[in-house]
Amino acid sequence: MSGQASSAERGYNRKWPHAYFRACLALDYMLPDRAKPIFERIFADYRRVRNKTKLKIIDVGCSYGVNAALLRTDLDLDDLYAAYLDPSGSLSSRQEIEHRTFFHNQGLRADIQFVGVDPSFRAVRYALDLGLLEAGVTADLETRDLTVKERSALADADILISTGCVGYATEATFARVYEASATSRPWVVAFAMHPFSYDDIAAALRAFSLQTEPLERFAQRQRRFSTSTERQAILKAMAKLGMEDRLERTTGYIYASCYISAPPGEAL
Ligand SMILES: C[S@@+](CC[C@H](N)C(=O)[O-])C[C@H]1O[C@@H](n2cnc3c(N)ncnc32)[C@H](O)[C@@H]1O
């Protein structure tokens, strides 16, 4: 998300994820849900090309492990909204054992491991405690380098993914994360909400000899405009950048473009 609300109001860094899911639902945030089949398709391509079964995924801006929860189970985002926000939902309590049991009972896939990168350390802690993430890096990589320990958590990655985070995380973060895992030549699949540009991130990844392509047919709804003022501001910024805004104008939703970066000739 992005907009007028503060990070605290959006519930980014709480001990429990309820405020985050409430803020997301209020804006009909749906990107991780829409991104899930695209990630799954790209994971399948990657497995075929690299002849691998077990994947190590790095999620930049992982928050409470939302992508891990969706991609390691058959759940969709509405299941999570209901589980967290319905008063009788399985995740409505603040009892760690209940949350852990819920995800355990979903049969978390073991062939996809997640390492999260997000300065919201309480959110990352939650996802680690529940077993959604294998490891977490809670640094703000916009402002500092990785430590040796953090670098080793990111080594040997297969694919970097990101939803709802480009803008907060820029080429500085992506370059630092990629550099720590560059030996295994991971692919990068990221969604960037309009009007955020991906050009600087693509340029940073080019320095690692990755080729970036926009996957135009995979652009997805991220969330509703929060206010008419935000709608005006985003449409104005998109017009200034010459971005196609037909979907935003018609639907009342902000879209995110999808980009894939990989060694030349490897992906799609
Ligand atoms: C809208 S949430 C998206 C969370 C999750 N990926 C999803 O789609 O539900 C944005 C996330 O970006 C994180 N974030 C903010 N600054 C960041 C940075 N410099 N590096 C990585 N993540 C950052 C926030 O803490 C928050 O968890």
Side-chain angles (χ1 to χ4, degrees), residues 1 9-11 14 16-29 80-81 84-86 92 94 224:
M1 289 186 290
E9 284 166 325
R10 292 184 193 122
R14 307 266 180 96
W16 296 100
H18 303 92
Y20 176 67
F21 279 94
R22 204 169 299 114
C24 283
L25 184 58
L27 292 175
D28 204 4
Y29 183 67
L80 293 184
Y81 283 138
Y84 282 111
L85 300 178
D86 183 82
S92 60
R94 274 131 174 99
R224 271 194 298 103

Side-chain angles (χ1 to χ4, degrees), residues 137-148 150-151 172-173 176-177:
V137 172
T138 53
D140 183 350
L141 301 177
E142 291 296 294
T143 56
R144 74 149 168 91
D145 282 327
L146 291 155
T147 63
V148 172
E150 289 166 345
R151 287 174 62 83
T173 292
R176 284 179 167 132
V177 172

Side-chain angles (χ1 to χ4, degrees), residues 1-2 7 10 12-13 20 24 29 31-32 59-64 66-67 77 117-120 123 139-142 162-165 168-170 173 222:
M1 289 186 290
S2 124
S7 162
R10 292 184 193 122
Y12 283 173
N13 196 21
Y20 176 67
C24 283
Y29 183 67
L31 183 60
D59 187 1
V60 179
C62 65
S63 181
Y64 298 90
V66 181
N67 285 319
L77 199 51
V117 176
D118 197 313
S120 295
D140 183 350
L141 301 177
E142 291 296 294
S162 189
T163 55
C165 182
Y168 297 121
T170 71
T173 292
Q222 175 146 334

